[in-house]
Amino acid sequence: MRAHPTLTLLAIFFLSGFCGLVYQVVWVREFGRFFGNTLHSAALVSGVFVSGLGVGALLAGRLADRRHAGDASFGLRAYAWSEAAIGALGLGILALLPQLEPLSARISSYALDANGWHVLTGGSYALRYALAFVVLTPITLLMGATLTLLIRYLVASDVGDAGMRVAVLYGANTLGAAVACLAVDLAIVPALGLSRAQALAAGGNFAAA
């Protein structure tokens, strides 16, 4: 029996991709406040984000393959729970972010460089990066799991036109992310601010779930 992506499912995964990019843009800006360097914060958030997506997809794929044989709807249910967990973690990070600035200041130390300027030590950078990694890794792992879980559900045991089904699903998710890239800077953040933008993304995850 083949499961095809319905318009409802495509709309849900469009929303999922939209929310994911809203998070990423907001986190780049928020962590820029703590690290004091937009280039460093952008590289860090993007690195953790992409790494989490990849590792989460791999782990979810292995789990879904094991569970699918005995429960064909496992992938769809696990997807719904993943979206709900992403929304909950998104709200948790929103509550945690105001606490990161004073924490970042407490774990920072400075040294004089060759020009006599006070600069952060390598250990301070490492601690800040580790903090961001701990905060962002769980939610990005779940984001990476969502596509794999839906693919496992849709493909089932029939791989005859799996490529097209996966392409359509991934296309809807990517389109949502692309729209978010424009909307978050042009409309969402100017109208709502960073905190409410992140709360909006969390609400989108709950709606998808």
Side-chain angles (χ1 to χ4, degrees), residues 42 61 189:
V189 170

Side-chain angles (χ1 to χ4, degrees), residues 7-24 27 49 53 78-87 139-150 169-181 200-209:
L7 289 178
T8 300
L9 192 57
L10 291 176
I12 288 171
F13 212 44
F14 173 93
L15 177 61
S16 180
F18 183 93
C19 294
L21 260 291
V22 172
Y23 284 127
Q24 185 178 11
W27 292 338
F49 193 89
L53 295 182
Y79 169 76
W81 281 108
S82 295
E83 286 287 1
I86 291 168
I139 191 171
T140 56
L141 287 174
L142 288 169
M143 289 178 181
T146 55
L147 176 63
T148 305
L149 292 170
L150 278 188
L169 187 66
Y170 188 72
N173 189 253
T174 303
L175 180 61
V179 172
C181 286
L200 176 67
N205 294 129
F206 290 127

